[in-house]
Each structure stands twice: as structure tokens, then as C-alpha cells.
Amino acid sequence: MDNARIAVMVGPKGRGSNMLALIRAGKEGRMPACVEVVIAPTHSAPAVQTAQDEKVRVAIVEPGDDYGARLLDAMEGCRYVCLAGFLRLLPEEVLRAFPDRVLNIHPALLPDFGGKGMYGARVHEAVIAAGAKESGCTVHLVNERYDDGRILLQKRLEVAPDDTPESLAARVLELEHQAYPEALTKLTRE
Ligand code: GAR
């Protein structure tokens, strides 16, 4: 059987490192799925250039009228949708079209340190401010609320006493790049 196809969605400032980790894992046969299309809201998202360098199709879909229908067009033929630095709630029709097949990665151990507005450096600042002994990343299914769907996989690390938000973010990001392909693999086997 052909590998399942993935649509990866990035945000306007998307650096695209998780997108790249998924592209590479697919190409190298480390997961039974491959990235078919990268969907970005604007050409200027840094991830767009990276996707093009990797010879992956890019679709620019700007939020606005018929956003859901235009996303579904771009996702045609895909089985999974992976959010990678995409920070909005998805239109309902996309969630309906991909039941239990939309994933997100979050740079902390949900259900803690998640929710609206919790992304990037803010997450790591909150982890350190709370004096948490461990952090990590979570891959979860996406529903109509922020960071709320069923958890597929978590990877953990210890927060060091001298960790800064930047040092913690860098170590968590390394875990994210392993976790996303692993979680996708796990989901394909359910
Ligand atoms: C990642 O750290 C991801 O966990 C986070 O955005 C970053 C995107 O980086 N997502 C969230 O915080 C979602 N709440 P990337 O563009 O290099 O993959």
C-alpha cells in the first residue's frame, strides 16, 4: 500500500523545523507516511522556502472567506493533517473531514502549560516560572479547543536549575523532532 499522505500546516512566521523533521522522516522511511503538501498563510513564511528546497508542494491559503473549503482543496488526497507552528483554531469543516487525523505538537507536557496564547517562548518562560522539575513535548489530536485533544505521545526531559527559556526551548525542540514522526507512526497503527 502507498504511504499515507500528510498535509503540514505552518504559521505566518513558521520557522518550519518540525515540518522539515516530518519531511525527512517520510523521505528516509522512518515513518509510514510522507509529506504531500505544506500549507502556509503567506509566501513570506520561512518554512515555505525550506519546503521548496525539499521539493515539497506548497499551497498558500490565506485566512478569510471560505477558508475551510480552500484548505480542504489544498489537502485533497491527504490522510493526515499535522500542525507545526500553526497557532489558530482550525475551521470546523477541516476537523469534520479528518476525524482523529489532525495532529499538533506542543512544546510542553500538556495538559499543563497549554491553551490560547501559549506558544513559543511563553511556554518555556511559564515552565521555568512555575519551578517545574520536568518539561518536554506533547503530540496530540486536535479538536475545536486549544491544546485539548487526546494525547498521542509525550517526551520528557529534566529542567536544569540554570535553564533559560532559550536553552530549554532548544532542548525541547530536539525532542519534538523525534516525537512527531513517532506519534504519526503510532497513529497509523491504531
Ligand atoms: C514548535 O516548538 C511547536 O511546538 C510550537 O511552535 C514551534 C514551531 O517551531 N507550537 C506551539 O507552541 C503550539 N501551541 P517550528 O516552526 O520550528 O516547527
Side-chain angles (χ1 to χ4, degrees):
M1 199 176 83
D2 277 356
N3 269 351
R5 294 178 190 169
I6 305 169
V8 176
M9 294 186 69
V10 299
K13 297 192 181 139
R15 164 182 60 183
S17 73
N18 278 290
M19 170 203 77
L20 185 60
L22 287 168
I23 292 173
R24 296 247 165 101
K27 285 184 179 171
E28 291 164 14
R30 286 184 280 114
M31 65 177 182
C34 60
V35 177
E36 169 74 11
V37 60
V38 169
I39 302 174
T42 163
H43 279 287
S44 62
V48 166
Q49 185 62 51
T50 309
Q52 286 168 342
D53 292 345
E54 291 289 319
K55 311 269 183 280
V56 172
R57 181 162 68 86
V58 172
I60 305 298
V61 184
E62 290 175 31
D65 288 349
D66 302 324
Y67 185 45
R70 288 183 288 114
L71 284 174
L72 288 177
D73 273 351
M75 292 166 177
E76 200 174 333
C78 292
R79 177 157 179 79
Y80 298 99
V81 177
C82 290
L83 309 186
F86 178 86
L87 305 172
R88 303 167 67 104
L89 291 176
L90 273 185
E92 220 181 281
E93 59 256 65
V94 174
L95 294 175
R96 268 203 309 269
F98 292 87
D100 288 347
R101 284 184 277 119
V102 182
L103 295 77
N104 181 43
I105 189 152
H106 184 78
L109 297 174
L110 293 175
D112 295 335
F113 308 110
K116 187 169 166 54
M118 284 299 268
Y119 60 87
R122 286 190 208 171
V123 176
H124 305 292
E125 282 161 13
V127 168
I128 289 174
K133 294 276 174 283
E134 53 173 19
S135 190
C137 64
T138 303
V139 183
H140 64 95
L141 293 178
V142 172
N143 62 18
E144 66 284 1
R145 291 177 295 276
Y146 286 100
D147 300 326
D148 184 68
R150 173 163 69 91
I151 291 173
L152 294 171
L153 190 138
Q154 292 187 308
K155 282 191 182 282
R156 294 163 184 274
L157 50 69
E158 272 181 33
V159 179
D162 59 350
D163 257 324
T164 61
E166 294 73 28
S167 68
L168 187 56
R171 288 191 296 124
V172 169
L173 193 63
E174 279 180 35
L175 289 186
E176 292 185 46
H177 297 162
Q178 300 163 21
Y180 221 162
E182 280 181 35
L184 211 291
T185 301
K186 202 173 155 205
L187 187 60
T188 63
R189 292 180 180 150
E190 283 187 357

